[in-house]
Amino acid sequence: MAIKEKITDYFDKYAQSLNGEKNSYLFSLRKKSIKNFQELGIPTLKNEEWKYTKLNFLNNIDFEISHSSIEGLPNNINISDYFIDNFEGDILVFINGFFEEKYSRIIENKGKIIISSLNDAKIKHSDTIEMYLTKYTDENSNPFTALNTALANDGAVLIIPSNFDSEVPIHLLNINLPLDFNLLTNTRNLVIFEKNATAQLIETSYSIGEMASFHNSVTEIYLKENSELHYNKFQNDSQKSYYIGSTQIHQEKNSRLFSTTISLGGKFIRNNLNSILDGEQSEAHFNGLYFIGNEDFIDNHTLVDHAKPYCDSKENYKGIIDDKATAVFNGKIMVRQKAQKTNAYQSNKNILLSEEATINTKPQLEIFADDVKCSHGATSGYLDKDAIFYFRSRGIDENTAQSYLLNSFSSDIIESVRNNALRDLIKTKVAKKLSMNDLYFCSILESNKI
Amino acid sequence: MNMQKEPINIVDELTQSDYKYGFVTDIEHELAPKGLNEDTIRFISAKKHEPEFMLEWRLKAFRFWQQMKEPKWANVKFPPIDYQDAYYYAAPKQSANKPKSLDEIDPEIRRTFEKLGIPLTEQQRLAGIAVDAVMDSVSVATTFKEKLSELGIIFCSMSEAIREHPDLVKKYIGSVVPYTDNYFAALNSAVFSDGSFCYIPKGVKCPLELSTYFRINASETGQFERTLIIADEGSYVSYLEGCTAPIRDENQLHAAVVELIAHKDAEIKYSTVQNWYPGDKEGKGGIYNFVTKRGICEGNNSKISWTQVETGSAITWKYPSCILKGDNSIGEFYSVALTNNYQQADTGTKMIHLGQNTKSRIVSKGISAGKSQNSYRGLVSVGKKAMNARNYSQCDSLLLGDKCGAHTFPYIEVKNNTATVEHEATTSKISEDILFYCNQRGISTEDAIGLIVNGFSREVLNQLPMEFAVEAQRLLAISLEGSVG
Amino acid sequence: MSLLKIDNLKVNINGKEILKGLSLEVNRGEIHAIMGPNGSGKSTLAGVLAGKEDYEIVEGTIEFDGRNIFEMSPEDRAREGLFLAFQYPIEIPCVSNASFMKTAVNEIRKYRNQEPLDAMDFLRIMKEKAKLVEMDQSFLNRSVNQGFSGGEKKRNEIFQLAMLEPKLAILDETDSGLDIDALKIVSNGVNKVRNTENAFVVITHYQRLLNYIVPDFVHVLFDGKLVVSGGKELAFELEERGYDWIKKQYNSVLV
């Protein structure tokens, strides 16, 4: 059965299985969304937003929709293997799209902020859900967001109270276990930062098993006045994993967003990162690094929507593409008519390492206000030949030279990751990819910015 | 008591300039019956005494067009076009038999072109420039023909080329822009009425600037001209085109196709100063300018350079492009697009790198004023085999006033790791602070804007031949002109 | 007849009183320094003289060379010979210093019914004047103030002053942000331009500048009025004692 019909079918059965919940607000959203999904269908390359993104896998792989939590883990699987080494913070574990308290670790922020699963929040925090869910998401244009709203079983609901200020991060860890069949999961996160709150959030997604996994994730974040979020996505998944993740952020006055997305692997990754700067003097920093090989595909779609005056946005994405991999960058800066005195900057730099690697990049500016400073730049190229020659003239072989240069190319993005443990993990993984064993030497190199 | 002018008024005044070419020439036209069907096409082909292959090609294109849908992807908005509610052929009556000498031209037509600054008489013709003058659907005069033919250069109207040089036409027409290419190219292929044809033989550097001046005069007509330029091995040609139309309340469609072919070591420089009627201050009337322009650098070391100054048309939709097929070939695109009032422009280029060591350069300057929308849309594509391809793109936008928009949509597709592609874009405005600073130095607001706009466009204007650069500079000033007290 | 005569000038910005009855008379050949604490209205005075918008003239008159200045547009004031060296010189993209000055000079000449300068003459004069402020030739081809350091921008203001040869130049905090070497260059430039026919109003915060551009009169602008006037020794006194004594004295009067 084609994926669209399968999903429709599943939804109908799901709807029939409901009793009291049928009258809930959430279900009314779901009904609207499944309709949206059916109308939008699976996008083709003719759809401008999916111009370079082939979604063939949805037709080629027969996915089952995850509908229940697991009964137990196979012996050879240890969830803590997927924790970040030396991580000091709270970890919320989701398996096959369902919250698993027994594998999670919630200590540090317990009692200080509201941490709940979507399943619990449906009842305990229904007012919050009614107030925020789908308020700014692209339900009407993105079928995967609509699909998520219709089907998401679970996810994290976080409410960071006013004046909360903590360096203790929260890690949302989703693990798909497609053990016997190909698995489709939908998770939905809702994060609300009250006035003056500061916190860190990390999202990772892994799949374990021989079968294919498709994780469709949506995170909605609301940053109230003067709040600050450090948001990291780290992706280093298997050749069996397909991932579409959308993060929709709404920023009020004076709020600050620092986002870094690092992708080191995965068969198919599509990251949508959208922020609406909807209050004066709010700022958004988007950083990203994609370093992929094999036949991996990664697509970073970002939108900075300047809706109010005096806001700043700064975007810096870098890519290293090897083997037969393909990367897409589509960055849009929208400056609305009201958003005078906007400062927006965007840069996308790419290095192709192999003859069969591809980059498609589309940095867009859409400007409707006149008193703005906007610039963008995009490059694609190979490493600086003179720099490599300089290394070689000092007796360092070309491969090593290349590793050093790539390490230095990516270092400013990696350094923008706030959490030490995560940053160390990324450094280690990148060094491994570059076959650089001498991490210490690397860090010296970085600090000297060779 | 404040002597300062409100900045918003300045912009308003600047946007209240008048179109100087909006007069109508009162001559009789011979028209094809209104509407579009196979008979219309047969009528046009018969009128032009075309050989059979041409009619067949037109009909194929027409049948293909009927299967197509009007594209919607550009960043422009306009009401649906009724393709049956227009004339597809309009010719000044007298020209059914094109005059043998320039002095035999209908004085009314001659006066029209004189008013437009294009003298057509043997005595007055522009030094150093050979002109093909096209009014509505037909070419009315071509100057310097004999001088050019001494060098083996063919420069004539497209209709004449189809009759006199059918082999060349058959070989090249549709070879760069096939009728299947897009909706408006298909329509053009079916109904094109005239245009210029130009062939530069091997090793010849064309000593004159070749130029075509397009004039729409008749009402309710579309203009569909087709230009074909072939530069054979080692040759060089610089070609200019200019366009104007009368002021009319209706929207008129102009859907042209231009094809350039540069063989080994050849160079084609193609310059456009486009000043079709842009519509009035309320956005009423004006030309829909939907044009397909494409050149192929067929041979090694060939070069194609597009330069355009776009100030006219209600809607402009065009992307002069280069297919860089030959090794070491070079493509260039220099553009200034100015939009005012309710004009919309979606313009840019495509640079398709196929050969090795190919180079391209894009310099696009968009100026938006009034309530206009100005978009740059460009593609730089580097194919798998395009070793060491290089591209540099620069897109700058200048905004006047806070009701206009500037948009940039660059697409970069790279499939070769030895390629270097760089794209940069900036947006700036002429702020009140800048205008006051200039005023304080004794420079009026109008002059200050002229100074900045010219400085902003200089890199592109420098690419134009001298006479056209001066004309273009004036045109930019006029398009923003108003009164400043 | 005095060159500049300001009489009982009252100016509001957004309804707030900034200048509250300021009077000043400047004759040819004189240099006046206007000093005062932050927010006393110094830059407002400069802006009003040059014709900047956003000011509401409530009362008073300004005559420049016998003409009512309020009846003149900013460019006509400039053409009549009133020059403002901006505190924050504006960056103008895409326009070179050379073409900017050529346009300005010829506009002013046209206003005075003089023939425009031809390119050769213009270049010669421009090079000459550039030397006054030790400006490199390459400056002339760069866009106006774009990418200039703070000191370079201020030097460029004085270069323009030298080019336009105004009757009255107002230097609005031209010294702020300048290191001592740049300050000397700027002052030197001003001193070479001054003569018995022109006049300067030097607005500054610090006495330091006045060591190099020696004023004939020093005025203290406080709370929208010139409250104390004196010779150059007043500047030293202000440097030593600060503005507090003035604040005390005049606040008490106000109370």
Side-chain angles (χ1 to χ4, degrees), chain C residues 184-197:
Chain C
K184 280 182 186 165
I185 292 171
V186 163
S187 316
N188 246 329
V190 171
N191 287 327
K192 282 179 189 154
V193 174
R194 79 171 288 195
N195 58 40
T196 53
E197 284 305 303

Side-chain angles (χ1 to χ4, degrees), chain A residues 46-57:
Chain A
K46 282 197 175 152
N47 182 326
E48 192 61 30
E49 292 299 313
W50 300 84
K51 185 176 160 72
Y52 298 112
T53 311
K54 287 187 195 129
L55 294 163
N56 300 353
F57 71 92

Side-chain angles (χ1 to χ4, degrees), chain B residues 241 270-274 289 291 293 305-311 316-321 332-338 345-349 363-365 374-377 457 460-461 463-464 468 472 476:
Chain B
E241 110 193 317
Y270 194 106
S271 314
T272 306
V273 176
Q274 187 265 105
N289 189 33
V291 173
K293 291 186 169 181
S305 178
W306 298 99
T307 304
Q308 60 175 25
V309 176
E310 302 277 322
T311 59
T316 296
W317 185 347
K318 82 181 226 199
Y319 315 92
S321 305
E332 292 176 337
F333 174 75
Y334 296 92
S335 168
V336 176
L338 185 153
D346 193 304
T347 182
T349 183
V363 177
S364 164
K365 307 274 181 176
N374 200 328
S375 303
Y376 167 83
R377 187 184 304 276
S457 323
V460 174
L461 298 182
Q463 297 298 321
L464 289 172
F468 264 52
L476 287 175

Side-chain angles (χ1 to χ4, degrees), chain A residues 194-354:
Chain A
E194 298 291 358
K195 226 167 152 177
N196 308 323
T198 299
Q200 291 180 36
L201 186 64
I202 297 167
E203 276 190 55
T204 58
S205 174
Y206 293 97
S207 67
I208 312 169
E210 286 308 302
M211 307 298 280
S213 150
F214 172 25
H215 181 205
N216 179 34
S217 164
V218 174
T219 302
E220 288 177 71
I221 300 173
Y222 295 83
L223 298 180
K224 298 280 178 69
E225 188 179 336
N226 198 34
S227 61
E228 177 171 325
L229 164 64
H230 295 264
Y231 178 65
N232 294 306
K233 264 192 179 184
F234 175 59
Q235 300 166 326
N236 188 25
D237 210 357
S238 77
Q239 288 295 297
K240 293 282 175 190
S241 82
Y242 299 83
Y243 174 85
I244 295 179
S246 297
T247 302
Q248 177 67 57
I249 300 147
H250 181 260
Q251 294 190 240
E252 290 185 11
K253 206 162 107 185
N254 290 317
S255 62
R256 296 166 301 278
L257 164 68
F258 299 87
S259 164
T260 303
T261 305
I262 309 251
S263 315
L264 302 181
K267 180 78 186 157
F268 176 100
I269 300 172
R270 161 79 172 224
N271 291 315
N272 298 315
L273 177 62
N274 305 335
S275 189
I276 307 170
L277 294 168
D278 204 7
E280 288 188 7
Q281 291 181 49
S282 52
E283 52 181 286
H285 300 256
F286 286 12
N287 290 305
L289 172 70
Y290 39 97
F291 183 177
I292 55 166
N294 303 311
E295 289 185 21
D296 288 359
F297 174 87
I298 176 144
D299 176 358
N300 277 298
H301 253 65
T302 67
L303 167 64
V304 184
D305 186 347
H306 283 264
K308 293 278 154 70
Y310 301 103
C311 296
D312 285 4
S313 68
K314 216 170 179 182
E315 179 165 10
N316 186 8
Y317 270 70
K318 288 185 174 180
I320 304 168
I321 307 134
D322 203 354
D323 303 328
K324 292 182 177 174
T326 299
V328 177
F329 173 79
N330 186 319
K332 188 189 226 172
I333 298 172
M334 172 81 94
V335 181
R336 308 226 177 232
Q337 200 170 349
K338 272 190 198 156
Q340 298 290 2
K341 307 282 179 194
T342 287
N343 238 320
Y345 169 84
Q346 183 192 68
S347 159
N348 173 233
K349 292 186 172 156
N350 298 283
I351 293 175
L352 299 185
L353 290 181
S354 101

Side-chain angles (χ1 to χ4, degrees), chain B residues 40-83:
Chain B
T40 321
I41 290 158
R42 286 177 209 281
F43 176 90
I44 295 169
S45 192
K47 267 281 157 214
K48 299 193 159 292
H49 311 289
E50 287 180 353
E52 190 58 27
F53 83 90
M54 208 61 243
L55 176 62
E56 270 166 32
W57 192 72
R58 283 175 182 278
L59 289 171
K60 264 193 264 174
F62 178 68
R63 286 164 199 151
F64 191 82
W65 178 77
Q66 286 178 306
Q67 313 294 318
M68 297 176 90
K69 278 201 189 98
E70 201 176 280
K72 293 276 179 262
W73 45 263
N75 194 24
V76 297
K77 292 188 183 74
F78 56 92
I81 299 171
D82 183 354
Y83 291 93

Side-chain angles (χ1 to χ4, degrees), chain B residues 1-7 365 398 428-429 431-434 436-445 447-448 451-458 484-485, chain C residues 50-55 57 70-72 74-75 77-79 82-84 86 89-95 99-100 103-104 107-108 144-145 157 160 164:
Chain B
M1 80 190 274
N2 187 343
M3 292 305 296
Q4 272 313 113
K5 200 182 292 290
E6 288 293 313
K365 307 274 181 176
L398 187 67
S428 42
K429 73 167 279 194
S431 66
E432 297 138 46
D433 288 347
I434 290 177
F436 180 70
Y437 189 78
C438 291
N439 288 163
Q440 213 300 306
R441 297 298 182 255
I443 301 170
S444 67
T445 300
D447 287 349
L451 205 57
I452 293 164
V453 166
N454 275 323
F456 180 74
S457 323
R458 192 185 303 131
V484 173
Chain C
K52 203 164 167 39
E53 61 199 274
D54 300 336
Y55 299 121
I57 315 292
F70 296 136
E71 285 170 1
M72 292 149 76
E75 53 267 41
R77 297 180 197 196
R79 291 164 187 171
L82 188 147
F83 181 93
L84 172 63
F86 285 65
I90 308 297
E91 300 185 6
I92 307 178
C94 321
V95 178
S99 54
F100 181 61
T103 312
E107 283 292 330
I108 292 171
V144 179
N145 291 328
E157 293 294 289
Q160 294 180 20
L164 302 183

